[in-house]
């Protein structure tokens, strides 16, 4: 049994990455002596912040502290997706007005996942020199639900482009015939 005054040992970093720490400098995955998560965070939030989610695709949700040393530290504008995420969270069963901290955490996780996906797609495309939609489809090929949804959205986008193009052509012919 551990001494309650000493933090739990850090989880060994995988794939050469450093252990994740929260902004206060403590490891995010430590728990209080009673077995409840420290700092009042839920176990799922701490696991997501520590990159210990159920999937290997999750990484730390924290900003600069504990991030990969080779990654440039870019400041991002927070709250850009706040309204959209609130609506999505409500649609998936959360309260109509979720806590701002919860929305901020979800936003951090979403932005990190999307950023990670884009970086992976850039690595795939670096051999060719040009980032294409197929690079993203290649990365999500094993997640059939995401793959089918992405292809569905791409086909809908193509249909909308065709409809706009046909509508613009019709307007141009009407304008030239009216003169």
């Amino acid at each position: 049994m551990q001494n309650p005054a000493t933090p739990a040992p850090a989880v060994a970093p995988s794939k050469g990455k450093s252990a994740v720490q929260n902004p206060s400098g403590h490891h995010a995955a430590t728990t209080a002596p009673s077995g409840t998560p420290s700092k009042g965070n839920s176990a799922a939030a701490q696991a997501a912040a520590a990159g210990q989610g159920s999937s290997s695709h999750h990484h730390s949700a924290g900003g600069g502290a504990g991030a990969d040393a080779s990654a440039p530290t870019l400041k991002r504008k927070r709250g850009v997706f706040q309204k959209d995420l609130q609506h999505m969270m409500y649609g998936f069963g959360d309260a109509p007005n979720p806590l701002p901290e919860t929305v901020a955490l979800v936003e951090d996780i979403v932005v990190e996942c999307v950023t990670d996906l884009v970086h992976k797609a850039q690595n795939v495309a670096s051999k060719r020199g040009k980032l294409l939609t197929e690079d993203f489809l290649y990365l999500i090929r094993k997640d059939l639900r995401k793959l089918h949804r992405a292809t569905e959205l791409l086909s809908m986008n193509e249909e909308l482009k065709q409809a706009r193009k046909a509508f613009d052509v019709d307007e141009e012919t009407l304008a030239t015939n009216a003169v």
Side-chain angles (χ1 to χ4, degrees):
M1 180 130 204
Q2 289 185 333
N3 181 356
T6 60
V11 176
S14 63
K15 298 183 184 175
K17 293 186 180 179
S18 62
V20 177
Q21 294 181 341
N22 64 19
S24 65
H26 296 88
H27 291 285
T30 60
T31 57
S34 65
T36 58
S38 63
K39 307 238 187 252
N41 293 338
S42 70
Q46 282 190 341
Q52 299 173 350
S54 61
S55 171
S56 63
H57 298 357
H58 295 112
H59 298 287
S60 82
D68 191 29
S70 64
T73 55
L74 298 174
K75 297 281 184 179
R76 73 171 182 86
K77 189 174 177 182
R78 295 183 151 258
V80 175
F81 306 110
Q82 186 173 15
K83 280 292 179 195
D84 295 322
L85 285 172
Q86 283 178 340
H87 294 300
M88 290 173 68
M89 289 168 66
Y90 178 63
F92 281 100
D94 204 341
N97 293 314
L99 293 173
E101 297 86 5
T102 307
V103 177
L105 177 65
V106 171
E107 181 181 28
D108 288 344
I109 293 170
V110 167
V111 167
E112 174 150 3
C113 288
V114 170
T115 303
D116 187 43
L117 184 68
V118 170
H119 287 181
K120 287 177 182 177
Q122 285 177 328
N123 290 339
V124 168
S126 65
K127 298 169 187 81
R128 185 176 48 257
K130 184 177 179 182
L131 187 61
L132 298 173
T133 306
E134 286 75 24
D135 298 321
F136 293 98
L137 295 175
Y138 172 78
L139 290 174
I140 62 171
R141 71 190 182 279
K142 293 181 182 175
D143 189 340
L144 293 180
R145 181 179 284 176
K146 284 182 190 173
L147 182 64
H148 290 307
R149 180 65 176 152
T151 53
E152 179 185 10
L153 290 171
L154 287 169
S155 66
M156 278 194 276
N157 187 40
E158 195 61 37
E159 287 178 30
L160 287 172
K161 280 183 185 177
Q162 297 297 328
R164 281 189 210 110
K165 187 177 178 182
F167 187 73
D168 289 341
V169 170
D170 290 342
E171 280 186 351
E172 290 176 8
T173 55
L174 288 174
T176 56
N177 290 342
V179 176

